C-alpha cells in the first residue's frame, strides 16, 4: 500500500471538531519531505488499538474532543518529547484513486468518521494520520513494552509518539518502581542518573532496555496481560529459577537474553518461545531496540521489590545480581532479616555477584540457645568477589561482626553502605582476605568500626568512620591494609589502633576529635601513616609504645588537647616531614627508653614545649625546625640521652634547649637563635655534649650553666646575644673548648657565684663587656685562650674570685688586658698580654669623669669612692676625678679598686657633676652584669 507523504518539518493548525472545520495546511518550513514507510500494523496491535480508540474517542460521531490521557507529555526538563504535542498535526486526508489505492488529493476532503464503514485503507490512513496525538498516547499507555516497541516501527509518527518520555516513565515505574532511571552499564554496576543529566534521548526507555533481562521478586503482584517479565513471590524461588536456567541446556541458557513470559510460581515456563529466542518477535529482522541483549556471560539479575523478607539464609555461590526495587529510599524499603545463621552469605563461585539497595538485618533471639558467634549479617568467604552496594547493614548480635570477610581469595567490593548502630564490630576482615571498601558510613558501633587481622589486606577509601563506642579502625595480629582518604572522628578510644605486628598503610585520612588519642601503635605494631590530618584529639595525636616502630610521614598533627606525638615504653618509629603545631603539651614527647628517629619536622606554636625528652628517653632528632613554642624548644631531663643534629631551634618564648635534672645527650651542628631566654640552659647535674652549634640572638644570653650543671661545649659559635655569651654560676663546672664567642652585647664569658669550669683554646673577641668576667668566689681555669678586640677589659676578676690563667693571649682590648679588683690574687702562668688600650688610665689622666667611658654594659675597673657629705649609699660609686673636682672638701671614703660606673657623672646624686655636660639619668648602679633569667617552669605531660 503506497504511503502518504508525512514530513516532520510541516506544521498544521487544527480547528475544533465541533465547528466542523477542516485542517488547513500551512506553508512548509522546508522544501523537502521524507516519506514515512508504513508497516502494516500487526493484528494484535490493531485489535488493542481499536479497543483503546473506542474507549478514548467516546460514542461514534459525537464530535467531542477526546479526553487527555494520564500520560500527557509533560516532559522532564532537559528531555523533551521528540515531537511538540498538538502543534505538528498530520497532513490532509488523501482520497483513494480509481485503482483503490490511496492517492494524493487535488483538493481537501472532509474528514470521514470510522462509523461510516470505510475500507481498510481508510482505517489505516485514519490511525496513522488522523487520530489525535492525545488519543494515541492514551492507547499506547495500555501496551506492554514489547508491543510499544512494535508500534514504534509502524511509521515515523508512531515512532515519535511511542518514544514519548512520560509514556516510558509511566511504564518504567509500573515495572521497576524507581523514581529515577537506574542505569546498568556493565555487570555489577548500577547508578541512578537524573533524567536531565543523562545522555540518552529517553532515559526511562534506556534504563528499561538495560534492566529488561532481570526477573522480579514481587509478592502477590498482578501483571499486565501479555507481559513477559518474570515475577516470583519469594527470593528463594527466584534463585532456584536462576539456578535451573543457568544449569540447563544451552538453549535454555540463551533464552535469558530476551524477555520471558510472565510467571509467578512455576519455573518450568523458562523454556517458553526458546525456538526463536534470539530474535525479537516485534521485528523478524532482529532490528528491534526494545531491550539490550544479555551478553553470553552476563550474571542473572533479580529485582527484589519493597517488603520484609524473613526467609531462610541466603547463600549465593554463583553469579547473580540482587538489587532492591522500590519508590523513595530503596534500601530502607527492601529488608532481608534473619534471627539465626548469616542473613546473606557469598561463597566460592560468586565471582561476579551483586547485592545492592537493600537492608540486611541480623537480629538473633537473645533467649535462643543457638550459637551465633560465627554468624553475621553479611558474610563473604573464600574465593569469591561480590559487589555490595548501597546497602544498610544492621546487627543486634553482641558477638561477631555485622560484616565478615574471611579467607584467601575473598575479594569483595563493598561501597556506599551504611554499617551502623551494631552491637559488635562493624566490618571484620581476616585470614588473608582482601577487597575494596569505599564510601561507606560506619558509625555508632559498640566495638571497633573496622577490624583487620591475620594478614588480611583490604583497600579502604573515603569511608566515614565515627562515633564508635570503641576504636575507629583496629589492625592487629599481622593485619595489613591500605587506608586512603577516610574521615575518622569522635571514637571513644583511638581513631586508628595498630597492634601485634600489624602493618597498615594510612594515607590522606583525617583522624580527629577522638575521645582518647588519634593513632595508637603498640605491642610491636608497625604501619605507615602518610599525609594525614591528625587534630583535635583529647590525648596525643599519635601514641607509639612497647617496641612499636611505625613511620609517621608528612602528616599535620595539630590542636591536640595534650601532645602531638607521644613515644614511650621503648617505642621507636620514624617521625619525618610532619607539621606539628598548636598542641596543648609538647609537640613530640619521648620517654622511658624510647628511641625514635625524628627528622625534617616543623614543630611550632605549641602551648607547651617543642620536643620533650625525659625518663631515659633517647632518639635521633635531626634537621627539624622547632620554633615559636611557649616553653622550651627542646627539653632534656632525667637521664635522657638524645642526639640533636642540624636542627633550627628559634624564636621561642623561653629557652632554646633546656637540659636539667641529669639530662644528657648530644647537641651538634644546630642553629639556636632568637629566644626570649638563653639559647641553651644546663642545670642540676646535666652533662650534655654541645658541639658545632651556632647559638645567637638570645635575649638573655647564649649558654647558661647553673646549679651544678656540667657539659662539654666544643667548637660552637656563640655570638650576638643580648647578655653574656656563656654564663657559668652556682657551682657549675662545664668545659669549654675551641669555641668562638664574639659580638656579644654584654660580656663574652661571665663566671660568678661559685662558678667553675675549664676554658681551653677559645677565641673570645669583640664583646661589649669583659671577654671573661670572673666574680664572687668563682674559680675557673683559663688555658690557651685568645681574648682580644674587646670593648672593655680582656679578663676581669673581682669580688673575692680567683682563677688559674695559663698560656692565654690577651690583646687589643679597650680597658686593658688583665684587670684585677682589690684583694684578687689569681694564679697566672705563661700568658701573653699585649697591645691593650688603657682607656681608663687615659681618662683619669685627662681629668675626665669615668662615666664618659662607661655604659649600661661596659664598666671600667678603677678606684672608686663614696661621699659621706652627699649621703651616698653602698650602691653608689664616685670616680677619682669627680672626688677631686665635684666633691672637693667633702667627707669622702675610698672603697676599693673594682669595676663600676660613676654615679656623679650619671646624675643620680644631689649635686651636678662638673666634669659632665647635661646629666644623664641612669639609675643602673649594679657593679656586675645583670643576672640571667633562669627557667623554673617544669610541666610534665
Amino acid at each position: 500500500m503506497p504511503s502518504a507523504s508525512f514530513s516532520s518539518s510541516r506544521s498544521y493548525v487544527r480547528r475544533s471538531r465541533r465547528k466542523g472545520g477542516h485542517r488547513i495546511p500551512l506553508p512548509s518550513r522546508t522544501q523537502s519531505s521524507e516519506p514515512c514507510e508504513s508497516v502494516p500494523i500487526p493484528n494484535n496491535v490493531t485489535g488493542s488499538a481499536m479497543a483503546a480508540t473506542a474507549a478514548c474517542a467516546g460514542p461514534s460521531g459525537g464530535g467531542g474532543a477526546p479526553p487527555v490521557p494520564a500520560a500527557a507529555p509533560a516532559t522532564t526538563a532537559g528531555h523533551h518529547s521528540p515531537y511538540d504535542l498538538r502543534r505538528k498535526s498530520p497532513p490532509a486526508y488523501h482520497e483513494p484513486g480509481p485503482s483503490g489505492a490511496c492517492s494524493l488529493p487535488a483538493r481537501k476532503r472532509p474528514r470521514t468518521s470510522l462509523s461510516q464503514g470505510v475500507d481498510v485503507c481508510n482505517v489505516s490512513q485514519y490511525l496513522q494520520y488522523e487520530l489525535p496525538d492525545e488519543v494515541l498516547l492514551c492507547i499506547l499507555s495500555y501496551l506492554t513494552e514489547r508491543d510499544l516497541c512494535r508500534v514504534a516501527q509502524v511509521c515515523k509518527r508512531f515512532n515519535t509518539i511511542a518514544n514519548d518520555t512520560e509514556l516510558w516513565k509511566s511504564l518504567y515505574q509500573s515495572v521497576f518502581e524507581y523514581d529515577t532511571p537506574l542505569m546498568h552499564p556493565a555487570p555489577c554496576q548500577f547508578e541512578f542518573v537524573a533524567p536531565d543529566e543523562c545522555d540518552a534521548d529517553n532515559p526511562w526507555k534506556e534504563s528499561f532496555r538495560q534492566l529488561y533481562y532481570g526477573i522480579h521478586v514481587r509478592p502477590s503482584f498482578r501483571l499486565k496481560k501479555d507481559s513477559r517479565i518474570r515475577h516470583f513471590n519469594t527470593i528463594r524461588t527466584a534463585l532456584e529459577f536462576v539456578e535451573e536456567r543457568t544449569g540447563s541446556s544451552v538453549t535454555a541458557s540463551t533464552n535469558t537474553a530476551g524477555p520471558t513470559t510472565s510467571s509467578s510460581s512455576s519455573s518450568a515456563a523458562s523454556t517458553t518461545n526458546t525456538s526463536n529466542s534470539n530474535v525479537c518477535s516485534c521485528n523478524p529482522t532482529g532490528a528491534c531496540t526494545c531491550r539490550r541483549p544479555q551478553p553470553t556471560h552476563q550474571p542473572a539479575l533479580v529485582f527484589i521489590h519493597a517488603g520484609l523478607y524473613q526467609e531462610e539464609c541466603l547463600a549465593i555461590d554463583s553469579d547473580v545480581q540482587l538489587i532492591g526495587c522500590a519508590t523513595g529510599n530503596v534500601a530502607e524499603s527492601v529488608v532481608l532479616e534473619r534471627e539465626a545463621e548469616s542473613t546473606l552469605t557469598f561463597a566460592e563461585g560468586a565471582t561476579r555477584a551483586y547485592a545492592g539497595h537493600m537492608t540486611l538485618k541480623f537480629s538473633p533471639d537473645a533467649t535462643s540457645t543457638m550459637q551465633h558467634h560465627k554468624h553475621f549479617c553479611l558474610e563473604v568467604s573464600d574465593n569469591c568477589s561480590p559487589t555490595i552496594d548501597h546497602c544498610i547493614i544492621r546487627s543486634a548480635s553482641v558477638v561477631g561482626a555485622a560484616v565478615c570477610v574471611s579467607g584467601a581469595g575473598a575479594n569483595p567490593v563493598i561501597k556506599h553502605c551504611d554499617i551502623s548502630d551494631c552491637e559488635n564490630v562493624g566490618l571484620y576482615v581476616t585470614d588473608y582476605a582482601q577487597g575494596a571498601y569505599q564510601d561507606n558510613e560506619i558509625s555508632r558501633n559498640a566495638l571497633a568500626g573496622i577490624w583487620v587481622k591475620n594478614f588480611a589486606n583490604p583497600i579502604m577509601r573515603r569511608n566515614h568512620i565515627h562515633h564508635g563506642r570503641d576504636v575507629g579502625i583496629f589492625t592487629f595480629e599481622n593485619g595489613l591494609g591500605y587506608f586512603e582518604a577516610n574521615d575518622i572522628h569522635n571514637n571513644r578510644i583511638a581513631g586508628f589502633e595498630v597492634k601485634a605486628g600489624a602493618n597498615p598503610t594510612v594515607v590522606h585520612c583525617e583522624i580527629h576529635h577522638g575521645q582518647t588519642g588519634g593513632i595508637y601503635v603498640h605491642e610491636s605494631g608497625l604501619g605507615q601513616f602518610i599525609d594525614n590530618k591528625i587534630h583535635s584529639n583529647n590525648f596525643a595525636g599519635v601514641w607509639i609504645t612497647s617496641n612499636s616502630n611505625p613511620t609517621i610521614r608528612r602528616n599535620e598533627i595539630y590542636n591536640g588537647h595534650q601532645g602531638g606525638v607521644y613515644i614511650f615504653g621503648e617505642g621507636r618509629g620514624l617521625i619525618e616531614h610532619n607539621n606539628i603545631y598548636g598542641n596543648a603539651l609538647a609537640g613530640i614527647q619521648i620517654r622511658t627508653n624510647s628511641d625514635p628517629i625524628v627528622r625534617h619536622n616543623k614543630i611550632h606554636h605549641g602551648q607547651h614545649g617543642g620536643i620533650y625528652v625525659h625518663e631515659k628517653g633517647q632518639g635521633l632528632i635531626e634537621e627539624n625546625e622547632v620554633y615559636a613554642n611557649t616553653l622550651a624548644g627542646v627539653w632534656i631531663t632525667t637521664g635522657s640521652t638524645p642526639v640533636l643534629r642540624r636542627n633550627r631551634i628559634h624564636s621561642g618564648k623561653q629557652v632554646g634547649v633546656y637540659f636539667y635534672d641529669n639530662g644528657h645527650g648530644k647537641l651538634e651542628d644546630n642553629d639556636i637563635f632568637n629566644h626570649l631566654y638563653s639559647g641553651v640552659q644546663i642545670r642540676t647535674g646535666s652533662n650534655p655534649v654541645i658541639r658545632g652549634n651556632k647559638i645567637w640572638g638570645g635575649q638573655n644570653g647564649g649558654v647558661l650553666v647553673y646549679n651544678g650543671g656540667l657539659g662539654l661545649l666544643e667548637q660552637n659559635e656563640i655570638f650576638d646575644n643580648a647578655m653574656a655569651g656563656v654564663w657559668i654560676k652556682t657551682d657549675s663546672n662545664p668545659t669549654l673548648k675551641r669555641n668562638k664567642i664574639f659580638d656579644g652585647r654584654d660580656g663574652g664569658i661571665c663566671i660568678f657565684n661559685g662558678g667553675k669550669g675549664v676554658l681551653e683554646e677559645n677565641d673570645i673577641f669583640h664583646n661589649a663587656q669583659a671577654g671573661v668576667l670572673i666574680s664572687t668566689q668563682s674559680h675557673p681555669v683559663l688555658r690557651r685562650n685568645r681574648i682580644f678586640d674587646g670593648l672593655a677589659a680582656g679578663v676581669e676578676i673581682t669580688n673575692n674570685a680567683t682563677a688559674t690563667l695559663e698560656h692565654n693571649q690577651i690583646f687589643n682590648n679597650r680597658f686593658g688586658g688583665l684587670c684585677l679588683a682589690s684583694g684578687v690574687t689569681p694564679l697566672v702562668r705563661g700568658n701573653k698580654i699585649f697591645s691593650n688600650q688603657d682607656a681608663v688610665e687615659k681618662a683619669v689622666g685627662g681629668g675626665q669623669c669615668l662615666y664618659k667611658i662607661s655604659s649600661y654594659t661596659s664598666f671600667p675597673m678603677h678606684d672608686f669612692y663614696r661621699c659621706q657629705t652627699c649621703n651616698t649609699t653602698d650602691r653608689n660609686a664616685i670616680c677619682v676625678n669627680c672626688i677631686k673636682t665635684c666633691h672637693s672638701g667633702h667627707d669622702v671614703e675610698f672603697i676599693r679598686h673594682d669595676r663600676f660606673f660613676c654615679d656623679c657623672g650619671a646624675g643620680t646624686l644631689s649635686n651636678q657633676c662638673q666634669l659632665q655636660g647635661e646629666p644623664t639619668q641612669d639609675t643602673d648602679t649594679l657593679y656586675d652584669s645583670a643576672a640571667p633569667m633562669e627557667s623554673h617552669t617544669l610541666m610534665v605531660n
Side-chain angles (χ1 to χ4, degrees), residues 739-753:
N739 300 285
K740 291 183 178 181
I741 304 168
F742 61 98
D743 286 343
R745 285 168 274 170
D746 198 281
I749 300 175
C750 184
I751 308 170
F752 62 104
N753 290 348

Side-chain angles (χ1 to χ4, degrees), residues 622-636:
E622 61 182 4
E623 301 187 73
N624 303 282
E625 185 152 5
V626 184
Y627 63 97
N629 294 288
T630 301
L631 301 181
V634 180
W635 293 20
I636 301 171

Side-chain angles (χ1 to χ4, degrees), residues 294-596:
Q294 180 178 348
T296 306
H297 301 292
Q298 176 80 302
L301 176 59
V302 179
F303 292 98
I304 304 174
H305 288 257
L308 175 61
Y309 298 86
Q310 294 177 310
E311 305 179 21
E312 297 180 11
C313 173
L314 296 176
I316 308 298
D317 58 359
S318 61
D319 293 343
V320 60
Q321 302 169 106
L322 306 177
I323 186 167
C325 201
T327 59
N329 189 318
V330 180
E332 291 181 355
S333 303
V334 181
V335 181
L336 279 63
E337 185 175 15
R338 291 286 298 153
E339 294 184 356
E341 301 181 348
S342 298
T343 305
L344 179 60
T345 300
F346 290 94
E348 182 172 357
T351 56
R352 291 194 302 164
Y354 176 93
H357 298 278
M358 62 183 67
T359 295
L360 305 177
K361 285 187 177 181
F362 182 51
S363 307
D365 186 356
T367 62
S368 174
T369 60
M370 181 177 294
Q371 295 289 331
H372 59 267
H373 66 279
K374 290 187 178 180
H375 299 151
F376 312 96
C377 188
L378 171 65
E379 184 175 1
V380 180
S381 59
D382 308 68
N383 299 315
C384 65
S385 52
T387 298
I388 317 299
D389 183 19
H390 284 95
C391 287
I392 300 172
I393 301 174
R394 302 285 186 266
S395 174
S397 173
V398 296
V399 295
V403 179
C404 178
V405 182
S406 65
N411 190 22
V413 174
I414 298 181
K415 58 184 180 179
H416 304 293
C417 291
D418 183 0
I419 307 172
S420 303
D421 299 306
C422 300
E423 295 301 324
N424 45 37
V425 176
L427 171 60
Y428 179 30
V429 189
T430 185
D431 297 340
Y432 298 90
Q434 299 180 8
Y437 309 81
Q438 57 196 35
D439 301 300
N440 299 289
E441 180 84 7
I442 303 174
S443 61
R444 301 182 302 276
N445 295 292
L447 296 181
I450 297 173
W451 276 7
V452 180
K453 66 175 285 189
N454 196 20
F455 299 100
N457 191 16
I459 297 173
M460 299 195 175
R461 291 190 175 102
R462 299 183 303 277
N463 299 288
H464 188 194
I465 304 161
H466 61 100
H467 288 94
R469 286 171 275 172
D470 199 271
V471 69
I473 298 176
F474 184 24
T475 58
F476 60 106
E477 294 182 17
N478 301 303
L480 305 171
Y482 181 81
F483 302 83
E484 181 181 12
N486 300 286
D487 188 5
I488 306 169
H489 64 92
N490 288 101
N491 295 286
R492 193 178 68 84
I493 306 182
F496 204 113
E497 183 175 352
V498 183
K499 176 183 176 181
N503 189 16
T505 298
V506 182
V507 298
H508 299 295
C509 294
E510 187 168 0
I511 304 171
H512 58 105
H513 290 93
Q515 297 179 36
T516 308
I519 296 171
Y520 181 29
V521 189
H522 62 115
E523 296 184 30
S524 301
L526 301 168
Q528 295 80 41
F529 296 85
I530 303 170
D531 295 314
N532 302 286
K533 288 186 177 180
I534 305 164
H535 65 93
S536 308
N537 296 286
N538 282 349
F539 292 173
V542 179
W543 288 23
I544 303 171
T545 184
S546 52
N547 296 301
S548 297
N549 190 20
T551 296
I552 312 293
R553 180 181 295 128
R554 293 195 305 274
N555 303 283
E556 283 195 39
I557 305 171
Y558 60 98
N559 292 350
H561 299 172
Q562 289 195 8
V565 180
Y566 182 27
I567 309 167
F568 64 102
E570 300 183 352
R572 297 190 297 279
L574 173 60
I575 318 296
E576 65 178 2
H577 295 288
N578 301 285
N579 191 8
I580 304 171
Y581 60 93
N583 297 286
L585 297 181
I588 296 179
Q589 183 179 168
I590 304 169
R591 59 173 289 198
T592 51
N593 297 303
S594 296
D595 189 17

